[in-house]
mmCIF file of all heavy atoms in Angstrom:
data_model
loop_
_atom_site.group_PDB
_atom_site.id
_atom_site.type_symbol
_atom_site.label_atom_id
_atom_site.label_comp_id
_atom_site.label_asym_id
_atom_site.label_seq_id
_atom_site.Cartn_x
_atom_site.Cartn_y
_atom_site.Cartn_z
ATOM 1 N N VAL V 24 8.590 13.526 10.365
ATOM 2 C CA VAL V 24 7.925 14.818 10.491
ATOM 3 C C VAL V 24 6.307 14.705 10.157
ATOM 4 O O VAL V 24 5.577 15.318 10.985
ATOM 5 C CB VAL V 24 8.607 15.896 9.392
ATOM 6 C CG1 VAL V 24 7.789 17.204 9.400
ATOM 7 C CG2 VAL V 24 9.980 16.077 9.867
ATOM 8 N N LYS V 34 -3.753 14.322 18.837
ATOM 9 C CA LYS V 34 -3.760 14.597 20.296
ATOM 10 C C LYS V 34 -4.794 15.712 20.495
ATOM 11 O O LYS V 34 -5.482 15.822 21.539
ATOM 12 C CB LYS V 34 -2.506 14.867 20.753
ATOM 13 C CG LYS V 34 -2.349 14.874 22.250
ATOM 14 C CD LYS V 34 -0.988 14.983 22.805
ATOM 15 C CE LYS V 34 -1.067 15.045 24.366
ATOM 16 N NZ LYS V 34 0.272 14.854 24.956
ATOM 17 N N LYS V 36 -7.183 16.580 18.825
ATOM 18 C CA LYS V 36 -8.507 16.314 18.297
ATOM 19 C C LYS V 36 -8.935 17.260 17.181
ATOM 20 O O LYS V 36 -10.073 17.711 17.112
ATOM 21 C CB LYS V 36 -9.616 16.292 19.482
ATOM 22 C CG LYS V 36 -9.370 15.193 20.439
ATOM 23 C CD LYS V 36 -10.388 15.140 21.497
ATOM 24 C CE LYS V 36 -10.120 14.009 22.458
ATOM 25 N NZ LYS V 36 -9.032 13.533 22.693
ATOM 26 N N MET V 43 -7.469 18.024 4.773
ATOM 27 C CA MET V 43 -6.639 19.073 4.194
ATOM 28 C C MET V 43 -5.174 18.548 4.032
ATOM 29 O O MET V 43 -4.516 18.809 2.981
ATOM 30 C CB MET V 43 -6.787 20.343 4.913
ATOM 31 C CG MET V 43 -8.115 21.027 4.755
ATOM 32 S SD MET V 43 -8.150 22.662 5.555
ATOM 33 C CE MET V 43 -8.477 22.113 7.240
ATOM 34 N N VAL V 49 -1.031 14.580 -1.176
ATOM 35 C CA VAL V 49 -1.189 13.965 -2.589
ATOM 36 C C VAL V 49 -0.768 14.980 -3.603
ATOM 37 O O VAL V 49 -0.079 14.500 -4.605
ATOM 38 C CB VAL V 49 -2.712 13.640 -2.703
ATOM 39 C CG1 VAL V 49 -3.006 13.399 -4.222
ATOM 40 C CG2 VAL V 49 -3.096 12.572 -1.831
ATOM 41 N N ALA V 51 1.635 17.348 -3.450
ATOM 42 C CA ALA V 51 2.958 17.417 -3.359
ATOM 43 C C ALA V 51 3.603 16.179 -4.087
ATOM 44 O O ALA V 51 4.549 16.317 -4.806
ATOM 45 C CB ALA V 51 3.416 17.525 -1.886
ATOM 46 N N SER V 63 5.543 11.652 -16.218
ATOM 47 C CA SER V 63 5.143 13.033 -16.250
ATOM 48 C C SER V 63 4.186 13.420 -17.287
ATOM 49 O O SER V 63 3.252 14.209 -17.087
ATOM 50 C CB SER V 63 6.273 13.972 -16.273
ATOM 51 O OG SER V 63 7.189 13.756 -17.386
ATOM 52 N N PHE V 65 1.603 11.797 -18.547
ATOM 53 C CA PHE V 65 0.369 11.295 -18.116
ATOM 54 C C PHE V 65 -0.133 12.109 -16.950
ATOM 55 O O PHE V 65 -1.283 12.255 -16.741
ATOM 56 C CB PHE V 65 0.480 9.805 -17.764
ATOM 57 C CG PHE V 65 0.963 9.037 -18.957
ATOM 58 C CD1 PHE V 65 2.125 8.395 -19.008
ATOM 59 C CD2 PHE V 65 0.179 8.827 -20.082
ATOM 60 C CE1 PHE V 65 2.663 7.603 -19.916
ATOM 61 C CE2 PHE V 65 0.580 8.092 -21.194
ATOM 62 C CZ PHE V 65 1.775 7.488 -21.106
ATOM 63 N N TYR V 67 0.514 15.306 -16.296
ATOM 64 C CA TYR V 67 0.230 16.597 -16.777
ATOM 65 C C TYR V 67 -1.194 16.658 -17.401
ATOM 66 O O TYR V 67 -1.861 17.742 -17.268
ATOM 67 C CB TYR V 67 1.185 17.113 -17.834
ATOM 68 C CG TYR V 67 2.519 17.477 -17.175
ATOM 69 C CD1 TYR V 67 3.800 17.108 -17.689
ATOM 70 C CD2 TYR V 67 2.638 18.258 -16.125
ATOM 71 C CE1 TYR V 67 4.925 17.404 -17.181
ATOM 72 C CE2 TYR V 67 3.910 18.644 -15.475
ATOM 73 C CZ TYR V 67 5.016 18.228 -16.060
ATOM 74 O OH TYR V 67 6.155 18.536 -15.578
ATOM 75 N N THR V 68 -1.718 15.559 -17.799
ATOM 76 C CA THR V 68 -3.035 15.581 -18.329
ATOM 77 C C THR V 68 -4.123 15.656 -17.217
ATOM 78 O O THR V 68 -5.255 16.023 -17.534
ATOM 79 C CB THR V 68 -3.309 14.397 -19.264
ATOM 80 O OG1 THR V 68 -3.128 13.228 -18.550
ATOM 81 C CG2 THR V 68 -2.346 14.327 -20.458
ATOM 82 N N PHE V 70 -3.899 17.675 -14.757
ATOM 83 C CA PHE V 70 -4.157 19.084 -14.392
ATOM 84 C C PHE V 70 -4.686 19.837 -15.610
ATOM 85 O O PHE V 70 -5.171 20.742 -15.664
ATOM 86 C CB PHE V 70 -2.906 19.723 -14.016
ATOM 87 C CG PHE V 70 -2.400 19.102 -12.624
ATOM 88 C CD1 PHE V 70 -1.305 18.315 -12.632
ATOM 89 C CD2 PHE V 70 -3.106 19.254 -11.534
ATOM 90 C CE1 PHE V 70 -0.745 17.822 -11.529
ATOM 91 C CE2 PHE V 70 -2.695 18.862 -10.419
ATOM 92 C CZ PHE V 70 -1.493 17.994 -10.298
#
Side-chain angles (χ1 to χ4, degrees):
V24 174
K34 187 169 182 171
K36 295 184 177 29
M43 289 186 277
V49 167
S63 56
F65 302 110
Y67 286 133
T68 59
F70 294 111

